[in-house]
Amino acid sequence: MRHLMTPLDLSVEELDKLLDLGNDIEKHPEKYAHACAGKKLATLFYEPSTRTRLSFEAAMMNLGGNVLGFSSAASSSAAKGESVSDTIRMISCYADICAMRHPKEGAPMVASRVSSIPVINAGDGGHQHPTQTLTDLLTIRSLKGRLDNLVIGLCGDLKFGRTVHSLIKALARYEGISFVLISPEELRIPEYIREDVLDAQGIPYKEVEHIEDVMPDLDILYMTRVQRERFFNEEDYIRLKDFYVLDKKKMELAKEDMLVLHPLPRVNEISVEVDNDPRAAYFRQVQYGVYVRMALILTLLGIEV
Ligand code: NCD
């Protein structure tokens, strides 16, 4: 049985296969409409979510399966003090596969150790968010035609942004990738990514504070929200929250075929005036998130169509 805790739980070959499946689902959705008939997905969300939870549920419904779950810790037995391990033992009796989001780093991993059904990490604290990464990879590969030889700019809250951590780990495995890490000093990428991934694998990267200086170099600009809920005090959040605002003027500095991605939700970091720019790919990204989660559910359940 397989779980998905980080994007590296899939080899590059498996990942390619999964993305191919995502593209096939996009082209021929009807082929997959009953693939999960009789199967159930449980969504265990101990932290707020719109896209991740609903896209998982939509994905399972598109496959002809059913969904059950909870969308806040307060409405589950966690509020009575039940452990994640006990909860997952129970869920294994109700569902065939589950997606878990938790504010504590490592909680889905703890669950996977006692689970008799596949567990998908749907975001654990400031750590990892592998299914957002699958979404990002499918978006980039579909719209750019490749995952290698790209200059990737990651901008915003690189410290607490789990989507960034997972994306760097995944992209670092492709040829000719370099990163431009754009953040204020306080929100720089954590050491375990800088040293254990980038330095350890000899991946070229630079860290800068000003987005304008690097705009012309980028093939992808991955914007992120400042992660308010992970800050220790509100003052720091208020000081940093509008550090970057991508607007039309900054977009003029970018390549004509650069793509802007964002895991969403957006707060202020992308001005709405950018939404109509053909390079703005963040709403298309949402749609790829459904296809790739469909592909993931099929893969982890071992269902071939
Ligand atoms: C992200 C997350 O939860 O980490 N959202 C998402 O799943 N699309 C990004 C964020 O909350 O900023």
Side-chain angles (χ1 to χ4, degrees):
M1 193 189 28
R2 300 199 56 181
H3 308 287
L4 186 76
M5 294 298 127
T6 95
L8 302 193
D9 291 341
L10 296 162
S11 67
V12 173
E13 294 71 36
E14 288 174 319
L15 195 69
D16 279 345
K17 242 179 101 183
L18 192 135
L19 299 180
D20 288 343
L21 181 56
N23 285 135
D24 195 60
I25 291 169
E26 175 185 11
K27 278 196 222 100
H28 310 287
E30 68 291 343
K31 249 170 69 184
Y32 299 89
H34 306 289
C36 283
K39 300 282 183 203
K40 282 182 251 132
L41 164 82
T43 50
L44 315 179
F45 277 59
Y46 296 84
E47 229 191 21
S49 167
T50 302
R51 263 154 304 273
T52 305
R53 186 170 63 85
L54 297 185
S55 66
F56 262 115
E57 297 190 356
M60 192 49 153
M61 289 174 186
N62 291 345
L63 293 167
N66 285 305
V67 297
L68 68 170
F70 54 83
S71 57
S72 77
S75 68
S76 78
S77 276
K80 300 181 190 169
E82 185 168 65
S83 70
V84 159
S85 303
D86 280 2
T87 303
I88 195 73
R89 280 197 180 94
M90 226 86 51
I91 301 297
S92 307
C93 307
Y94 307 148
D96 302 282
I97 184 165
C98 91
M100 176 185 285
R101 168 170 290 190
H102 203 286
K104 286 214 181 94
E105 286 81 3
M109 171 75 88
V110 169
S112 70
R113 297 218 168 108
V114 297
S115 175
S116 52
I117 59 172
V119 178
I120 301 167
N121 176 5
D124 62 328
H127 186 219
Q128 295 282 320
H129 192 345
T131 62
Q132 182 62 47
T133 295
L134 299 181
T135 303
D136 303 338
L137 297 179
L138 183 61
T139 307
I140 297 171
R141 208 189 70 167
S142 302
L143 301 181
K144 270 268 180 231
R146 64 181 194 278
L147 288 172
D148 51 11
N149 297 302
L150 294 166
V151 179
I152 318 267
L154 299 151
C155 177
D157 188 345
L158 309 188
K159 181 178 179 184
F160 297 115
R162 56 194 172 195
T163 60
V164 167
H165 307 158
S166 288
L167 186 57
I168 290 178
K169 277 190 163 190
L171 280 171
R173 299 192 291 184
Y174 293 87
E175 293 279 307
I177 291 289
S178 64
F179 294 104
V180 182
L181 306 172
I182 310 156
S183 77
E185 178 65 28
E186 291 98 321
L187 298 178
R188 282 172 63 192
I189 201 90
E191 225 171 79
Y192 84 93
I193 298 286
R194 191 177 325 120
E195 289 175 7
D196 303 353
V197 182
L198 298 172
D199 291 341
Q201 298 184 42
I203 314 286
Y205 70 94
K206 59 179 173 184
E207 297 188 88
V208 301
E209 207 173 84
H210 297 290
I211 191 169
E212 288 87 345
D213 305 345
V214 294
M215 272 308 255
D217 307 332
L218 307 178
D219 298 308
I220 305 285
L221 172 59
Y222 195 89
M223 294 296 296
T224 63
R225 159 184 85 88
V226 176
Q227 305 279 301
R228 181 182 201 161
E229 64 276 36
R230 317 233 185 266
F231 273 68
F232 295 110
N233 70 68
E234 186 73 2
E235 269 160 49
D236 285 348
Y237 169 71
I238 289 170
R239 188 166 47 81
L240 293 168
K241 74 182 172 69
D242 295 326
F243 205 90
Y244 301 107
V245 180
L246 183 66
D247 56 16
K248 264 191 173 160
K249 205 155 154 260
K250 293 194 187 85
M251 287 298 287
E252 280 167 17
L253 304 168
K255 287 184 187 168
E256 254 171 50
D257 63 348
M258 186 192 77
L259 289 180
V260 184
L261 270 67
H262 191 310
L264 304 176
R266 148 176 69 184
V267 187
N268 280 328
E269 57 281 355
I270 303 179
S271 162
V272 291
E273 68 186 22
V274 177
D275 295 358
N276 292 329
D277 189 303
R279 295 168 290 184
Y282 31 94
F283 292 119
R284 280 174 279 168
Q285 200 177 343
V286 174
Q287 181 66 64
Y288 285 115
V290 180
Y291 301 139
V292 94
R293 287 184 175 95
M294 290 170 72
L296 179 65
I297 291 170
L298 291 172
T299 304
L300 293 182
L301 288 178
I303 295 173
E304 288 195 26
V305 176

